[in-house]
Amino acid sequence: MKTLRSLWALPLLLAAAPAAHAEYGLNFPPPATPIAREIYDVHMLTMGISTLLLIGVFGVVFFAIWKFRKSRGYQPDQNFHKTWFGTWSWIIVPAMVLGVDLTIAGSAQQILERLWVVPEQEGMLDVKVTGHQWYWEYEYMDAGIRVESRALPEDQAPDGLYLRDVDNRLVLPTHRPVRFLHTSADVNHAMWVPALGFKKDAIPGYITETWAEIDTEGVYRGQCAELCGTWHAKMPIVVEAVSEEKFTTWVADAKAAQAAAAAEAAADKEWSMADLMEKGKGLYNTKCASCHQINGEGLAPAFPALKGSALTIGPVEPHIDIVLNGKPGSAMPPWKGLLNDLEIAAIVTYERNAWGNDTGDAVQPRDVKALR
Amino acid sequence: MSTTASALHSEHEHHPYGWRRWLFSTNHKDIGTLYLLFALSMFFLGGISAMAIRAELMFPGLQLLDPDLYNNILTNHALIMIFGAVMPAGAGIANWMIPLMIGAPDMALPRLNNLSFWILPAAAMMLVLSFIVPFFPGGGTQINTGWTLYPPLSVQVGMSMDFLIFAIHLLGISSVLASINIIVTILNMRAPGMTLMKMPIFCWAWFVTAFLLILVVPIIAGGVTMLLFDRHFGTSFFNAAGGGDPVLFQHLFWFFGHPEVYILILPAIGALAQVIPAFSRKPLFGYHSTVGAMLVIATLGMVVWAHHQYTIGMSLGAVTYFMIGTILISIPVGLILFNFIATMWRGAMTFETPMLFATAMVLLFSFGGLTGVMLAVVPADIQYHDSMFVVAHFHYVLIPGAIYGLFAAVFYWLPKWTGHMYDERLAKIFFWVNMISFNITFFVQHFLGLAGMPRRIIDYNVIFTEFNFISSVAGLIYGLSHLLFLYIVIKCIRGGKQAEDKAWEGATGLEWELPSPPPFHSWETAPQVK
């Protein structure tokens, strides 16, 4: 393997600029699961075979170009096809290629089975991954925890991590097989984390399965790998693999936080305008601004403006309705399954009063509940 | 009347002039020229969109374009290049050369030939309209789906998508009609003595391509029509909530899409099969096995489409089948490349521009084909799929494959078409600048893919900066080099050293027995083929 790697480096060094970033190198990121290691190995195998074949082909052709030239006085051999080689090569060459093919296919087949067949084990962690335009939703099915994971904006992402960092990471334990169930809420997306060694399409109406068993703690970054519209470039995936103990703590904390938020939303109280606006602003900037923009001006024609729009200044009910139920045929999703009454009330209140809209409406959670 | 006199007589009487000559043409040479000029203009249009993409990707951040416009441009780049440039250029060369090579006076169905061409400018207008419409009030959103047009995203798009669906129908009809013409011509109008196994490989390549087109174009037509119905008529072919399946569209698309790549490459391989023997001064090695290999490629190529879809969630059995099938295609392709190399072996080669492009194609298409074998391996493809590695792979097979094959053909036959030798010195400069800048542009993209950069993204994290910068700078040079090509072609049309009937020393074939350029009507009397 080491020899192959250095052989591989040669065309690299010839073609690539000296400024190649040391951080990511010229190959796959370091694998963090056994299957990712096997994938790396089969990749190096096919790359090694391809390099050897290429050196062979280039060698033969360069030799031919040098030797069999009219300018060197070479006379063309009109009977070449009658030689032994000429007669039998049409069988020999395909047989040799077949041999190479079977080597590759045989090696690939074993890894493929291990990759494809999700192991049946006790204690597997089940995570449902839902692609949205343009963020990921992770649901830890046994613990009942829901996480929404969005790209951090440029001014908030740590240095050098814009488009590769998110607000809420996917926290997973090491040394425990995790089963991922993939689906989508709108269009096709794909979850890809190179270090973990899987990629799967997120297709609405389908539930597809992958699995991984991470053996090294660390942070692993990936991106959406299926063109899903405007912000396909801005849907990173960040997995944080921690020890089993840290994971248990994290689960407990997340559950508690979720319970607290649910209790707050269900509390039968009258919320003040100031509280609603503060909550609404935070939620709007996180969840709505990627399309409708922080300044509410949208991005015509795909994402309408909310500043000064008939919907946000006019009657309340159509406004709540479109947030709850979305607009079929457009990128506006139904939020009723994703946000609770308090969150929707806060967002709608913010939209009705920000950017000079100033309707003075304070929407309460019970108003939203009535329209569900 | 003597034969010569009557030939001159008919020449004067039936040679049309002015705009009617071109609009109502039933002459295979004129229609071939129309196809080529159309393809050349579309090639530049597609090239400009590529320049826009590389300009945006030169640095991280959003500089020139907004995301939906970028996605639209990359969609158009693919559609224009495939349907507007490569396929019409291939059809143009087919129209020019097939009758000349088989000793036929024209194509079998000359008026159908006219229709096949003139559908194309209409289709191009629809394509341009689909791009322009969103810039007007009420025009809806842009086509931001990529050329693969997957639903549900493509159902969300505004009326641009409907213009595009119409354009695809028109393009498909044009291809199918031209294919019918080619098959009928080849089967019925070969000169006496020219059996199928004596026919030039270029004709065989187009014969196989024509069958492929007829088989698969209706499938994509069906798929986009179902998309149109889902968009406007309340059907749910691809809508899971209505009981349909988004993946169905993918299968329909790729059932067309994979044979499509063979449709793009076979004519180029056919051209190489003429060019390499001519410049090696030795007949093609393995004529029979080349024909057989092309037939195997076409057949096998029709049943491996889902290697574009390894990540959708197919069963283990299905994905294993597609992997094995895809890997096996390397056998006939390898055989054809081997035959080309064996033709060069022990030949007496000279390296005029057609041979330069042919040699580059043999070497670089082999490279692209090998990354294709890497991609076929499902576990590894899990990392490559939808990354820049795939983009690098297909540009390596499309450019040194289809495009260089077309360049080789154009430089080889320009003397025949125009009667003038093109400027060899400028053409060689074009070749070297083009080939070197192409390699720099796309070789580095392999590493971007391996490092984790997805495709079809407008902005990327800073770790991908260096190779994107290199790719964009080289890409700019690569794009601009084509202006030199345009200059060479125009200069050749306008004048140059008079070309012989047999413009190249080692050239063989019926077309080289005609004057350069051939008369308006050629082979009015069929030649005898021994």
Side-chain angles (χ1 to χ4, degrees):
Chain A
M1 279 303 139
K2 255 214 161 149
T3 342
L4 280 173
R5 211 173 294 165
S6 51
L7 197 71
W8 203 81
L10 208 51
L12 248 55
L13 289 165
L14 289 172
H21 213 281
E23 193 189 287
Y24 75 97
L26 296 152
N27 208 333
F28 291 152
T33 66
I35 200 80
R37 268 182 209 93
E38 291 193 77
I39 289 174
Y40 181 88
D41 289 340
V42 81
H43 159 74
M44 294 307 282
L45 172 72
T46 57
M47 194 152 64
I49 292 176
S50 299
T51 307
L52 285 170
L53 287 173
L54 210 62
I55 290 174
V57 169
F58 272 58
V60 167
V61 173
F62 284 155
F63 177 77
I65 290 174
W66 169 74
K67 176 137 179 149
F68 304 124
R69 303 170 79 115
K70 183 167 181 235
S71 60
R72 282 182 103 231
Y74 196 86
Q75 292 301 314
D77 179 359
Q78 303 295 344
N79 291 315
F80 182 59
H81 60 283
K82 291 191 192 125
T83 61
W84 176 90
F85 187 72
T87 321
W88 292 106
S89 57
W90 74 275
I91 297 181
I92 297 176
V93 169
M96 280 167 53
V97 177
L98 182 65
V100 172
D101 287 348
L102 291 176
T103 311
I104 294 176
S107 182
Q109 183 57 25
Q110 298 166 39
I111 303 173
L112 179 56
E113 280 185 44
R114 277 193 285 282
L115 173 69
W116 228 248
V117 177
V118 177
E120 292 292 323
Q121 276 184 43
E122 288 291 324
M124 275 186 85
L125 182 65
D126 287 327
V127 178
K128 182 174 164 203
V129 178
T130 307
H132 292 263
Q133 283 174 312
W134 287 281
Y135 63 96
W136 292 97
E137 180 192 341
Y138 308 117
E139 191 182 322
Y140 296 79
M141 302 191 69
D142 300 314
I145 300 171
R146 228 174 54 83
V147 173
E148 283 184 13
S149 185
R150 288 182 168 77
L152 288 172
E154 197 160 4
D155 51 355
Q156 290 174 35
D159 238 6
L161 282 176
Y162 173 54
L163 299 177
R164 302 256 298 175
D165 206 4
V166 295
D167 50 9
N168 303 312
R169 295 174 172 179
L170 176 60
V171 180
L172 294 173
T174 52
H175 301 291
R176 174 137 78 114
V178 180
R179 172 175 34 224
F180 298 95
L181 299 167
H182 305 267
T183 187
S184 166
D186 37 45
V187 300
N188 296 340
H189 301 268
M191 180 179 181
W192 179 30
V193 186
L196 302 189
F198 69 82
K199 177 186 288 141
K200 206 62 161 199
D201 286 3
I203 302 169
Y206 272 54
I207 298 188
T208 51
E209 228 183 4
T210 55
W211 74 282
E213 184 176 338
I214 310 173
D215 53 29
T216 320
E217 288 184 44
V219 176
Y220 306 111
R221 301 174 193 276
Q223 293 188 236
C224 176
E226 184 64 54
L227 180 54
C228 50
T230 315
W231 294 112
H232 167 59
K234 225 162 147 182
M235 278 182 65
I237 297 144
V238 180
V239 171
E240 189 173 337
V242 297
S243 65
E244 192 69 50
E245 303 79 51
K246 278 202 217 124
F247 181 68
T248 316
T249 317
W250 179 86
V251 168
D253 290 344
K255 266 168 131 170
Q258 238 181 230
E264 185 192 38
D268 190 25
K269 71 178 239 203
E270 187 84 6
W271 290 83
S272 73
M273 178 66 109
D275 285 341
L276 285 169
M277 285 297 283
E278 191 196 329
K279 212 175 188 53
K281 181 174 181 182
L283 287 166
Y284 175 88
N285 285 350
T286 309
K287 296 181 193 280
C288 319
S290 61
C291 297
H292 292 290
Q293 308 302 306
I294 304 257
N295 57 17
E297 286 172 13
L299 207 62
F303 313 128
L306 299 178
K307 173 179 171 176
S309 104
L311 198 69
T312 49
I313 296 182
V316 182
E317 286 192 11
H319 187 175
I320 300 179
D321 183 68
I322 204 170
V323 174
L324 276 174
N325 300 308
K327 189 171 178 195
S330 77
M332 177 65 186
W335 291 96
K336 62 181 169 206
L338 301 165
L339 299 169
N340 62 39
D341 296 336
L342 172 62
E343 289 168 325
I344 294 182
I347 290 173
V348 172
T349 306
Y350 178 72
E351 287 171 355
R352 298 184 73 76
N353 292 291
W355 322 300
N357 282 352
D358 295 332
T359 55
D361 294 330
V363 179
Q364 297 295 329
R366 71 180 93 90
D367 303 327
V368 176
K369 189 168 173 184
L371 286 173
R372 271 189 189 265
Chain B
M1 267 204 206
S2 71
T3 358
T4 338
S6 67
L8 286 170
H9 184 72
S10 66
E11 183 79 38
H12 279 292
E13 279 203 2
H14 301 300
H15 192 327
Y17 293 93
W19 62 270
R20 284 187 193 77
R21 171 179 171 183
W22 300 101
L23 189 57
F24 303 142
S25 177
T26 51
N27 181 286
H28 74 99
K29 305 181 186 72
D30 280 356
I31 291 177
T33 303
L34 285 171
Y35 267 109
L36 287 166
L37 292 174
F38 174 82
L40 190 60
S41 23
M42 296 301 274
F43 187 51
F44 277 96
L45 206 58
I48 290 170
S49 49
M51 296 293 101
I53 294 172
R54 283 311 331 161
E56 177 60 52
L57 291 181
M58 193 157 167
F59 300 107
L62 301 180
Q63 287 92 19
L64 303 163
L65 306 166
D66 70 65
D68 277 333
L69 180 58
Y70 175 85
N71 290 338
N72 194 357
I73 288 176
L74 65 79
T75 303
N76 278 345
H77 168 66
L79 290 168
I80 293 175
M81 284 303 196
I82 293 170
F83 292 104
V86 176
M87 289 170 80
I93 300 176
N95 256 296
W96 248 110
M97 300 315 300
I98 293 179
L100 296 184
M101 289 168 121
I102 63 175
D106 207 302
M107 298 292 284
L109 305 161
R111 279 188 284 234
L112 190 68
N113 208 8
N114 176 292
L115 179 66
S116 303
F117 171 72
W118 280 108
I119 291 177
L120 290 183
M125 258 192 304
M126 285 288 128
L127 199 57
V128 169
L129 272 174
S130 79
F131 184 75
I132 290 179
V133 147
F135 292 103
F136 290 87
T141 52
Q142 290 162 317
I143 304 175
N144 57 356
T145 59
W147 84 288
T148 46
L149 308 179
Y150 286 173
L153 187 59
S154 49
V155 176
Q156 275 181 2
V157 173
M159 72 168 88
S160 295
M161 184 60 73
D162 305 314
F163 280 100
L164 179 62
I165 291 174
F166 194 4
I168 290 175
H169 274 293
L170 290 174
L171 293 162
I173 292 170
S174 165
S175 288
V176 170
L177 295 178
S179 300
I180 293 172
N181 216 344
I182 287 170
I183 293 173
V184 175
T185 306
I186 287 178
L187 286 177
N188 287 289
M189 294 182 67
R190 279 165 290 120
M194 182 175 281
T195 59
L196 278 174
M197 290 314 251
K198 283 210 187 110
M199 186 169 73
I201 292 282
F202 180 75
C203 303
W204 263 111
W206 257 110
F207 190 55
V208 175
T209 304
F211 272 105
L212 275 177
L213 275 164
I214 291 177
L215 282 168
V216 299
V217 163
I219 309 292
I220 191 180
V224 297
T225 309
M226 289 157 82
L227 188 60
L228 187 71
F229 271 62
D230 266 21
R231 285 168 53 82
H232 295 294
F233 304 132
T235 55
S236 290
F237 291 111
F238 310 125
N239 177 14
D245 184 353
V247 174
L248 174 62
F249 182 88
Q250 293 188 27
H251 284 293
L252 291 171
F253 181 89
W254 285 114
F255 190 79
F256 155 81
H258 189 70
E260 169 67 13
V261 314
Y262 297 112
I263 289 165
L264 296 173
I265 198 66
L266 280 171
I269 286 178
L272 240 67
Q274 308 303 133
V275 167
I276 293 183
F279 292 92
S280 306
R281 291 162 182 76
K282 178 163 164 284
L284 178 72
F285 182 93
Y287 176 96
H288 288 77
S289 62
T290 302
V291 173
M294 287 196 293
L295 290 168
V296 172
I297 289 172
T299 312
L300 209 48
M302 287 210 55
V303 294
V304 294
W305 72 92
H307 63 239
H308 299 269
Q309 300 166 266
Y310 281 154
T311 56
I312 60 171
M314 282 187 279
S315 70
L316 181 60
V319 97
T320 306
Y321 160 75
F322 283 111
M323 175 170 78
I324 310 273
T326 306
I327 292 179
L328 288 178
I329 297 190
S330 56
I331 299 177
V333 174
L335 185 60
I336 292 184
L337 287 165
F338 168 78
N339 283 344
F340 287 157
I341 297 174
T343 306
M344 294 163 81
W345 192 264
R346 297 222 194 127
M349 292 190 276
T350 52
F351 290 93
E352 289 88 335
T353 308
M355 190 58 170
L356 285 174
F357 277 108
T359 311
M361 179 168 161
V362 167
L363 293 172
L364 299 172
F365 181 77
S366 297
F367 177 83
L370 286 168
T371 54
V373 174
M374 289 171 74
L375 282 159
V377 173
V378 178
D381 186 59
I382 294 304
Q383 302 286 31
Y384 310 136
H385 175 71
D386 258 311
S387 76
M388 290 303 289
F389 190 87
V390 178
V391 176
H393 157 72
F394 66 67
H395 282 96
Y396 260 91
V397 288
L398 283 173
I399 295 175
I403 305 275
Y404 280 12
L406 292 172
F407 282 152
V410 165
F411 283 110
Y412 184 54
W413 281 311
L414 258 179
K416 177 60 56 184
W417 299 335
T418 59
H420 309 124
M421 295 306 285
Y422 58 84
D423 185 329
E424 184 64 50
R425 193 186 64 96
L426 282 180
K428 285 200 166 88
I429 294 173
F430 167 64
F431 168 76
W432 286 108
V433 174
N434 188 290
M435 201 264 297
I436 292 174
S437 56
F438 157 77
N439 271 295
I440 300 175
T441 307
F442 289 102
F443 188 66
V444 297
Q445 291 185 7
H446 291 101
F447 306 125
L448 284 172
L450 293 182
M453 179 175 171
R455 62 183 285 201
R456 295 171 165 171
I457 55 175
I458 185 178
D459 193 8
Y460 50 82
N461 178 272
V462 294
I463 60 174
F464 302 125
T465 307
E466 286 85 2
F467 283 160
N468 268 297
F469 179 75
I470 294 170
S471 183
S472 287
V473 171
L476 186 66
I477 298 171
Y478 172 70
L480 288 174
S481 74
H482 294 94
L483 292 172
L484 183 54
F485 174 70
L486 183 64
Y487 177 74
I488 294 168
V489 169
I490 293 175
K491 184 176 172 192
C492 179
I493 293 173
R494 299 180 77 205
K497 175 163 161 270
Q498 175 62 43
E500 312 275 310
D501 291 1
K502 191 164 106 139
W504 306 106
E505 189 198 341
T508 58
L510 283 177
E511 74 267 30
W512 304 106
E513 293 177 26
L514 293 167
S516 304
F520 193 72
H521 293 301
S522 48
W523 294 135
E524 283 181 307
T525 325
Q528 273 295 336
V529 175
K530 284 159 246 48

